[in-house]
Amino acid sequence: MKISHADVFVTSPGRNFVTLKITTDDGVVGYGDATLNGRELAVASYLRDHVTSLLIGRDPHRIEDTWQYLYRGAYWRRGPVTMAAIAAVDVALWDIKAKVAGLPLYQLLGGASRTGALAYGHASGFDLEALFDSIREHLELGYRAIRIQTGVPGLDSVYGVAASTKIGERYDYEPAQRSAAPSEEQWDTRAYLRHVPTVFEAVRNEFGPELPLLHDGHHRMTPIQAAKLGKALEPYDLFWLEDCTPAENQEALRLVRQHTTTPLAIGEIFNTAFDYQTLITEQLIDYVRSAVTHTGGITAMKKLFDFAALYQIKSGIHGPTDISPVGQAAALHLDLAIHNFGIQEYMRHSPETLEVFKTSYSFTDGLLHPGETPGLGVEYDEQLAEKFPYDPAYLPVNRLLDGTVHDW
Ligand code: KDG
Ligand code: MG
């Protein structure tokens, strides 16, 4: 069996996605997600201009060898563009292998370790009333764990707060705005630190102690500010506090950890296991947040989770709507198979997205399941996808009140 074609598709059914399709000489097709929010065309070019021709004639079953060939062979290692491109190839080859075996992918990863993957959804609101409505709506949909993001008094827009909290309108907070340049937002950490604990107190009073609650700090705090927030949130028993600092400085988390028992999750902008080396070996975090799509695919993520398992650190795979349904399905197969599963992020893709990407995963009683279709269980409708051409969109830029550019 040999790879005969490798094609890259860019489409925008509600938002931009990059998809790699690998076809074998006997007609088996595998898909990989190569979407990098706001930088989509860079990954499409990396694949089209430097990778697809190298795949033709290769044995699709040699997944590890192909991974090493692309990673080591390029000489230039790591980085979001490279690792998203490698991830797309890797996931497409796993899709092919599982289809040839006639098995859902999770069976090739060791089989199911659980009945389904606990998923968390995104509730948000500028004020408590809107936030509570959003939480109730998520509970009605069956969510059993919920991320809480709120407005901050004095700030017009805040990361993670949807324009509408009604699911089906603009419930999916989409930070990437369709325009030729990024929008700009404002930020005030002191106002945020004063406000957030009062919101969690109100949510616990209204919804009780059982519901797992999460919060995303989106890299906006210094280590000492993050330590302060972690301490302040301890009475509200968070499932995790995510991305409390910009963690390319891994040592920063040592300081946070010394001050708080609030569990820490990090890694949605990481792209290799090396980004976690200190965090894992020193047990400075509790959850690994990488996306399959951005961290080298199933092959790299399985190794990363096995490494984390040695230190009792669990998974919390990144699953916003800018991960395509192909990337989300890949995550679900891993979630079902690995022992150290923690939780899976699950925002809902728009109806247009789900018409282009036909999925076989399901959501029942708060648990996601990848389904039993051989392979990943996702089909891509090429003809329909052509009706949604690429439309530039950028993530925002954030500034402090005095105009200084800040992490967003
Ligand atoms: O592309 C950026 C988004 O994926 C990111 O902002 C979402 O922080 C995020 C999350 O936790 O889902
Ligand atoms: Mg996040």
Side-chain angles (χ1 to χ4, degrees), residues 269-404:
I269 61 168
F270 290 179
N271 41 67
T272 69
F274 299 104
D275 303 323
Y276 289 97
Q277 214 165 349
T278 304
L279 299 180
I280 289 178
T281 56
E282 295 194 21
Q283 295 180 261
L284 302 181
I285 57 169
D286 301 280
Y287 296 93
V288 162
R289 280 285 287 145
S290 271
V292 178
T293 300
H294 300 145
T295 314
I298 299 272
T299 300
M301 291 284 276
K302 179 74 170 64
K303 292 177 190 177
L304 173 56
F305 288 137
D306 289 345
F307 173 43
L310 301 179
Y311 298 87
Q312 290 177 284
I313 295 169
K314 296 191 177 196
S315 73
I317 299 182
H318 192 217
T321 43
D322 49 280
I323 299 297
S324 89
V326 172
Q328 183 74 356
L332 299 185
H333 286 280
L334 265 172
D335 289 338
L336 205 65
I338 58 172
H339 176 248
N340 54 332
F341 169 75
I343 201 165
Q344 172 65 49
E345 183 177 15
Y346 177 45
M347 292 176 77
R348 285 155 184 268
H349 286 108
S350 68
E352 302 104 290
T353 299
L354 294 173
E355 277 167 33
V356 170
F357 296 88
K358 302 265 184 315
T359 61
S360 33
Y361 48 79
S362 59
F363 180 57
T364 318
D365 295 332
L367 304 184
L368 284 161
H369 192 286
E372 299 298 339
T373 308
L376 281 173
V378 182
E379 290 303 321
Y380 182 75
D381 186 332
E382 284 172 46
Q383 277 183 340
L384 186 60
E386 277 178 18
K387 298 200 171 129
F388 300 100
Y390 171 73
D391 193 1
Y394 283 94
L395 291 165
V397 169
N398 205 20
R399 290 185 188 274
L400 300 178
L401 299 181
D402 70 357
T404 309

